[in-house]
Each structure stands twice: as C-alpha cells, then as structure tokens.
Amino acid sequence: MIDDKTSEELAERYAAARGFLHIEDKAAALAELDAELARPDFWNDTERAQRISKQASDVRATISAYEAAGALLEDIRAARELAAEEPEFEAEAARAARRLQTQLDQFEIESWFDGRFDEGGCILTINPGSGGLEAQDWTDMLYKMYLRYAGRKDWDVHVLDAPPAEGIGIEHASVQIDGRFAYGMLRSEIGVHRLVRISPTDDKKRRHTTFASVEVMPVLPEDIEVNLNPADVRVDVFRASGPGGQCVNTTDSAVRLTHLPTGLVVTCQNQKSQLQNKEAAFRVLRARLYEFEERKRAEEIAELQGDKMDNSFGSQIRNYVLYPYQMVKDLRSGVETGNVESVLSDGDLDSFVIGYHRWRVSQ
C-alpha cells in the first residue's frame, strides 16, 4: 500500500527532477532544433543534419520521459483515491509507484552526466600490465566483459583492434562504443584493474596477480577542432592478425598511424577494408590528440581522462579475486559483490558503474 509519506516523497522527487534535468532549458533548445529541422535546406549538409537530428531526438526523449513520469504520478494519485472505495486499486497504485521510482532513479543517474561529451559514445582501450601471459589473458577477459556490458545496455560496439597474443589472450583491445551516455558512464572504468587467481598456465597451480589498464576517451563530434595535420601522420599498412570480415587476413587491410610530432601510435585491423580501418584509426587518433592537448589544461584532465596510474600493484581501482575467495571490489566507491561470474561472464557492471558515479558526485 502507498501511504501519504511515500506519495509525497515521489512528488517531491519528481518536482526536483524538473530542475536537475533542466526541462525548461531543454524545451527551449528543442524548439530551436525543431526550427532547424524544418528548414528546406536542412539536409544539404548531411553530417550536420544527422548531428542535429540526433540532438533533437535525445532532448525529445528526455522531455517525453519526464512527462511520462508525471503521468505515472497522476495515476498513483487517482488509484489511491479509488482505493478508498475499491481496495483492488491499491495494487495498481503500488505497481505505478514502483515504475515511477525506477524512472526517477534513472533521472538522477542521467543528471550526473553533464560533461561536454558525457552523453555520447566512447573509445575504450585495454592494455595488459605486469604479468606476462597472465596479463594478456586478463586483457581478453576484460575485453569480453565490456562487450557483454555494452550488449546489456543495447549500445552499438565496433571492434577496432583486438589482435590475438602468442600463447593466450590478446595483445590489447580498442573498441568504439556508441550509445547514449556511454562515455559518461564508462568513465568509471578508467584505471588499473587487478586480477587474483590460480594461474591456468602454471603447472604448479600457484596463485598469480596480474594487471590491465583501461582508458576511455570520448568519440569527438566532427565540429570539435583538433590540430591534426595529415602531413604529420605516417600511414603503414600490414596484414591483419585476427578474425575479421571478408578479405581481412588475406590482404594488407590493417592500418597503423604514427603521429610524428607526438609519437602517438594507433592501429586498426578489424574492419572489412583498408579504407574503413584507416577512417577508424583516424577517429581514434583525433581522440588521442584531443586528450594529449587537454592534458596541458589541468582543470580538464580529470573530466576527460582521470588520474593516470602505473599499470601494476598498488595503483588499481578495482580488484577481481577468484582465489582463495571470490569477490569483486571497487576501491573508490566500496561497492563489492561475491558473484564474480555475473560480473566477468555476464557483464553485470551497473552496480559498479553507478556506485562509482554516486561516490564521485558526493566528493
């Protein structure tokens, strides 16, 4: 049964959401975007049109979700009034209250992501740390975990580079993840991840500790200026070493870009053609150069990249322990679980992602 206190709390949370979601500002912005969409020459610039269309769609979705929450609140009030005469409406009020609670929680989460690129996609890169073959295998485990997490969120994933390593695991991984708030949410993963387990490669079955680092960068919109002169980039092509599309592994389709002034190197080999790999590699290079330039501005480092740490013992953000007990624990937020299988095999990361951001906004 929904009592007066619960009903009032839901109403207060709904009213507060109007402010932190900036509904009035979004409504004004949507009016301007709709005016752009209505222009007869709107589709003359396809890239700009697609960008504006997506902006309008995202803003419209937020406003619609807020209005739907308001309708739920009215349903709760109506059901409670009817329950005075017909008790069966108490169950209807309770169901509506649970749906509203879930929606208000989602509003709170979305309000945390107000950074410049938080609402867009990201490029997630995983590199093995100390641990040799173990680190390569750990990199592969994390790579699969993030693919499953993206799948749970219905985000689109484009694997840019994940070459198999000699022995076990992969050398590194780079994936582009496109979805609303993908960058904002996955900033929680930036840092060193530590695995403790009985080594599958150790004949004596000893316990090993290994590390891998995760980097998350925003997918930059085309209107973001980056000082990238094509003349400063050396382009090398080579035969792809991993699974891919048609003709991959039989032609020199893989691409390596070296930015000569900074020494930044980007490889991409999982697309179907050399041209697609080159385009994807340049997207990653733009993001890396943007990050490189932003490092010079101390106030923006934490927003885009987080604190850099050594990829070794003592610098981890999260521990994954498989032996002598089972536990995953985030060392920043304190969130932990004993269900390691759900995290690594099923990509059940929401408690860690949301827990980190709840901790972050409270600091």
Side-chain angles (χ1 to χ4, degrees), residues 40-330:
D41 61 346
F42 176 71
W43 285 101
N44 288 355
D45 185 340
T46 304
E47 287 188 2
R48 179 176 179 276
Q50 290 175 339
R51 186 171 65 252
I52 291 176
S53 295
K54 185 181 185 305
Q55 289 174 354
S57 176
D58 289 345
V59 173
R60 203 184 313 276
T62 299
I63 294 174
S64 295
Y66 182 77
E67 291 173 347
L72 267 179
L73 184 60
E74 291 304 315
D75 289 345
I76 293 168
R77 288 168 173 164
R80 292 190 68 225
E81 290 179 5
L82 291 170
E85 300 292 334
E86 302 179 59
E88 63 266 23
F89 280 98
E90 289 181 2
E92 179 61 31
R95 285 192 294 269
R98 287 194 293 270
R99 293 199 301 272
L100 180 57
Q101 188 80 263
T102 299
Q103 185 61 72
L104 292 173
D105 289 343
Q106 185 62 34
F107 288 156
E108 180 186 2
I109 292 169
E110 291 184 7
S111 74
W112 300 336
F113 306 125
D114 56 0
R116 188 177 186 183
F117 306 113
D118 280 355
E119 200 165 343
C122 70
I123 296 167
L124 184 146
T125 301
I126 311 168
N127 287 300
S130 59
L133 291 175
E134 288 291 311
Q136 294 173 179
D137 191 40
W138 178 220
T139 298
D140 191 29
M141 292 168 65
L142 286 174
Y143 165 66
K144 292 172 180 174
M145 179 185 76
Y146 289 121
L147 292 186
R148 292 176 184 125
Y149 179 65
R152 293 169 72 102
K153 308 298 286 186
D154 290 325
W155 291 336
D156 294 326
V157 176
H158 306 280
V159 178
L160 304 176
D161 198 22
E166 291 187 16
I168 60 173
I170 56 178
E171 292 181 3
H172 55 263
S174 183
V175 298
Q176 180 172 327
I177 302 175
D178 293 316
R180 196 168 181 219
F181 297 113
Y183 174 63
M185 295 188 74
L186 287 173
R187 283 191 294 129
S188 65
E189 302 307 293
I190 296 169
V192 177
H193 297 245
R194 173 177 176 248
L195 174 69
V196 180
R197 65 172 176 175
I198 296 295
S199 170
T201 63
D202 189 338
D203 293 337
K204 296 182 179 180
K205 303 300 179 184
R206 290 171 293 190
R207 185 175 65 178
H208 283 237
T209 299
T210 189
F211 303 86
S213 64
V214 175
E215 179 184 53
V216 180
M217 299 175 294
V219 175
L220 298 178
E222 292 299 322
D223 58 348
I224 298 296
E225 292 187 7
V226 176
N227 185 21
L228 176 55
N229 184 349
D232 291 334
V233 180
R234 187 179 71 230
V235 180
D236 298 308
V237 296
F238 58 98
R239 188 157 298 178
S241 58
Q246 186 177 6
C247 296
V248 172
N249 303 333
T250 61
T251 63
D252 290 338
S253 60
V255 173
R256 179 185 298 110
L257 303 181
T258 305
H259 186 249
L260 300 176
T262 62
L264 292 172
V265 177
V266 171
T267 60
C268 185
Q269 59 179 312
N270 275 61
Q271 305 304 305
K272 292 183 178 180
S273 70
Q274 184 184 121
L275 178 60
Q276 290 174 320
N277 278 321
K278 186 175 180 181
E279 290 175 349
F282 266 103
R283 281 199 303 273
V284 177
L285 183 58
R286 285 184 75 244
R288 289 192 182 280
L289 280 175
Y290 186 87
E291 177 205 353
F292 183 84
E293 293 166 1
E294 289 297 296
R295 280 188 193 146
K296 300 173 185 176
R297 305 173 190 176
E299 292 182 356
E300 297 183 20
I301 294 177
E303 280 295 320
L304 291 177
Q305 187 58 35
D307 295 331
K308 286 288 188 180
M309 299 179 180
D310 291 334
N311 199 356
S312 60
F313 187 81
S315 58
Q316 64 269 16
I317 61 166
R318 192 177 299 150
N319 288 328
Y320 305 73
V321 181
L322 304 184
Y323 183 86
Y325 53 88
Q326 294 207 339
M327 182 182 69
V328 180
K329 181 172 183 177
D330 194 287

Side-chain angles (χ1 to χ4, degrees), residues 343-355:
V343 175
L344 290 175
S345 298
D346 300 331
D348 187 6
L349 283 173
D350 258 345
S351 61
F352 292 96
V353 172
I354 294 171

